[in-house]
Amino acid sequence: STPTSLPHPASPSHAARARTRRSAKVSGQKSQGGRRSSSKSCRCCSCRTSAMQHVLLPALLSFPSLRRNSSSCAKRSLFNPVFSLPGRVRDPAVRLNEAGEAELFFTHFRGNPAAMFTSAGAKDYYVSRVVTRDWQTFSEPSDITPPGFASPDAPIRWDNATIIAFQAYPDKSLGGKSSGLFFSRRDDGSEIWSEPRPFLREALTLPWNTGGRAIDPTLVLDSEGRLHCFFVGSTKRQRGDRRRANLLGQAVSTDPDLQRWEVLSREAPLIGTSSRAPDGVENVAVFRRRSDAVMIYSEGLKSQHLAHAVSKDDLISWQRRGAPSVGG
């Protein structure tokens, strides 16, 4: 298929998700006015030191505030990583708020890396947030969830408030206490997020989701104001094969409390395995454009690469288009 350029977000208020899953090792330093990532240890992932993971630059350049400055010294002064903290920083999601600030939400793991994918690591996983205006200085990080949650989506407006979706982690498949998708709510004028509440619990028992998992939620509004949730489930690749494949599902809701959903992919996943990715897909970002919508996702688990799909009927059906052209 013909590669296409990454889309421009439909509006500054639309949030986009850009994921970095693999370990990346950088050092960080603190500067006046907030945290700042160090340029000494990493230039486009040429990392040399340990114990940190970072948010990378290329996906962030799709945001309007950075694209407008693409020919200025603001862009030239940016470098990879754009943000780092002690521990592991994963799963970045960005929302441009009404004040023109970028709110960066991410998974922050603060424990022993050997325990990241075990039940013992649950106490060290948090969904955290920082704020920046220039992607060089950041506010002090704050946690928006108790321990045991990860993989945030970018917040979205729903029912006259702001909501953010994420997942329980490590989930039951890794020995954790719970599985599934959760959300928190922040009322206007408040900086306090509610306690996590489960939603779309039926995703855990879909016939194709034999792994009983639901991870990586992405919330998107269609033109009629309905809320779509894209999520990832898992299945074994072949009978007797312990390796898993990740599969993409989709549901839609008009319920203010997110407790009633119509699952559009009940009998089969929206996107499953392919010759390009026999172990499936994960980590979805959806961009609304004037005449269509574009989905960017991570294709493959063992050999990860970006792919994209396009919808011309308001997020209902999708045509897979292969690899996008980044920076074109």
Side-chain angles (χ1 to χ4, degrees):
S1 59
T2 303
T4 190
S5 298
L6 285 174
H8 190 287
S11 69
S13 64
H14 183 77
R17 165 153 50 181
R19 309 281 192 164
T20 302
R21 280 291 190 192
R22 298 190 178 190
S23 295
K25 304 167 185 176
V26 301
S27 65
Q29 63 187 21
K30 194 172 180 180
S31 62
Q32 186 176 4
R35 291 186 182 271
R36 183 171 182 174
S37 301
S38 170
S39 62
K40 295 181 179 180
S41 62
C42 180
R43 288 284 184 179
C44 297
C45 290
S46 299
C47 302
R48 295 193 295 271
T49 60
S50 61
M52 294 195 184
Q53 188 165 345
H54 61 255
V55 174
L56 296 178
L57 171 64
L60 298 175
L61 292 178
S62 67
F63 288 93
S65 61
L66 291 181
R67 289 175 67 97
R68 284 196 297 268
N69 295 327
S70 61
S71 61
S72 69
C73 60
K75 179 184 176 183
R76 292 195 299 272
S77 64
L78 291 177
F79 48 77
N80 279 325
V82 292
F83 177 74
S84 61
L85 285 174
R88 301 294 176 94
V89 175
R90 298 158 57 93
D91 311 325
V94 179
R95 174 180 182 262
L96 297 180
N97 64 25
E98 293 76 10
E101 302 168 321
E103 296 181 272
L104 171 63
F105 298 82
F106 54 93
T107 300
H108 192 194
F109 180 78
R110 303 168 192 166
N112 182 352
M116 284 188 70
F117 307 110
T118 70
S119 59
K123 62 180 175 47
D124 296 309
Y125 273 99
Y126 295 83
V127 173
S128 302
R129 168 186 176 266
V130 294
V131 177
T132 183
R133 285 185 174 273
D134 58 9
W135 291 103
Q136 300 190 55
T137 58
F138 297 81
S139 66
E140 288 296 316
S142 59
D143 299 330
I144 70 167
T145 69
F149 297 95
S151 193
D153 184 28
I156 192 170
R157 293 289 298 174
W158 183 251
D159 188 35
N160 297 313
T162 301
I163 61 172
I164 184 172
F166 39 84
Q167 69 186 57
Y169 200 79
D171 59 15
K172 289 182 178 179
S173 71
L174 298 173
K177 293 183 179 180
S178 62
S179 294
L181 308 179
F182 289 76
F183 77 98
S184 291
R185 173 186 174 110
R186 182 177 69 185
D187 292 326
D188 292 345
S190 173
E191 292 296 322
I192 305 300
W193 292 90
S194 68
E195 286 294 310
R197 293 183 58 193
F199 75 99
L200 195 53
R201 283 172 281 196
E202 53 266 57
L204 296 170
T205 57
L206 294 173
W208 52 266
N209 187 13
T210 56
R213 310 181 76 211
I215 63 174
D216 296 343
T218 298
L219 301 179
V220 186
L221 291 171
D222 66 20
S223 63
E224 297 179 358
R226 301 185 304 167
L227 188 65
H228 291 249
C229 179
F230 299 90
F231 60 92
V232 172
S234 298
T235 187
K236 292 183 178 179
R237 290 167 60 179
Q238 296 177 357
R239 182 172 297 181
D241 189 345
R242 297 184 62 183
R243 294 174 297 175
R244 75 174 190 273
N246 280 353
L247 313 172
L248 183 66
Q250 181 181 3
V252 64
S253 178
T254 58
D255 179 16
D257 294 326
L258 303 188
Q259 299 306 299
R260 295 187 300 274
W261 291 84
E262 177 188 0
V263 179
L264 303 182
S265 57
R266 183 170 296 278
E267 299 303 323
L270 175 65
I271 299 178
T273 60
S274 66
S275 58
R276 286 169 48 90
D279 45 6
V281 302
E282 60 182 8
N283 301 330
V284 170
V286 176
F287 302 85
R288 296 287 305 278
R289 302 194 295 192
R290 290 183 180 179
S291 60
D292 61 12
V294 176
M295 176 191 297
I296 308 294
Y297 55 93
S298 176
E299 192 175 54
L301 302 180
K302 183 178 180 180
S303 178
Q304 288 186 323
H305 49 273
L306 289 179
H308 77 292
V310 175
S311 173
K312 296 184 178 295
D313 58 0
D314 211 12
L315 309 179
I316 299 302
S317 61
W318 295 85
Q319 295 77 47
R320 298 170 73 167
R321 299 287 181 85
S325 175
V326 180

